Amino acid sequence: MRKAILAATLAAGLAACTAMPEIAPIPGSITYGGQPATKLTKAPVGSVVHHQLNDEYGHPAEETYVIQPDRSLRLVRREQIVDPN
């Protein structure tokens, strides 16, 4: 009985989790307008690629991509670069 209650509680907790929202590419992103024409054939799957650009507000930003098994890029993070001065 205890295991059933624990399993039901765990299932309800997982069902309440929300997936991370997809980050949309912006002009200047590597994947803006679709995937790049060339595939990254030498980089291992799961590798991280960083790209710097100006975000939609004109501020410097850095995007992080992960190489997928089909060799496409998935945008996982965009963060503003803050000047410490």
Side-chain angles (χ1 to χ4, degrees), residues 66-82:
V66 175
I67 299 176
Q68 300 299 292
D70 66 353
R71 313 310 280 170
S72 64
L73 293 172
R74 180 171 56 102
L75 179 58
V76 294
R77 185 180 74 159
R78 182 180 304 118
E79 189 173 294
Q80 270 191 352
I81 298 172
V82 180

Side-chain angles (χ1 to χ4, degrees), residues 18-30:
T18 57
M20 235 179 158
E22 190 78 19
I23 300 171
I26 59 173
S29 296
I30 295 174

Side-chain angles (χ1 to χ4, degrees), residues 19-43:
M20 235 179 158
E22 190 78 19
I23 300 171
I26 59 173
S29 296
I30 295 174
T31 56
Y32 184 72
Q35 291 290 323
T38 58
K39 297 284 183 183
L40 299 165
T41 57
K42 293 186 180 182

Side-chain angles (χ1 to χ4, degrees), residues 52-74:
Q52 291 187 353
L53 71 157
N54 288 330
D55 66 12
E56 60 269 31
Y57 307 109
H59 301 118
E62 181 176 74
E63 293 181 329
T64 303
Y65 295 86
V66 175
I67 299 176
Q68 300 299 292
D70 66 353
R71 313 310 280 170
S72 64
L73 293 172
R74 180 171 56 102

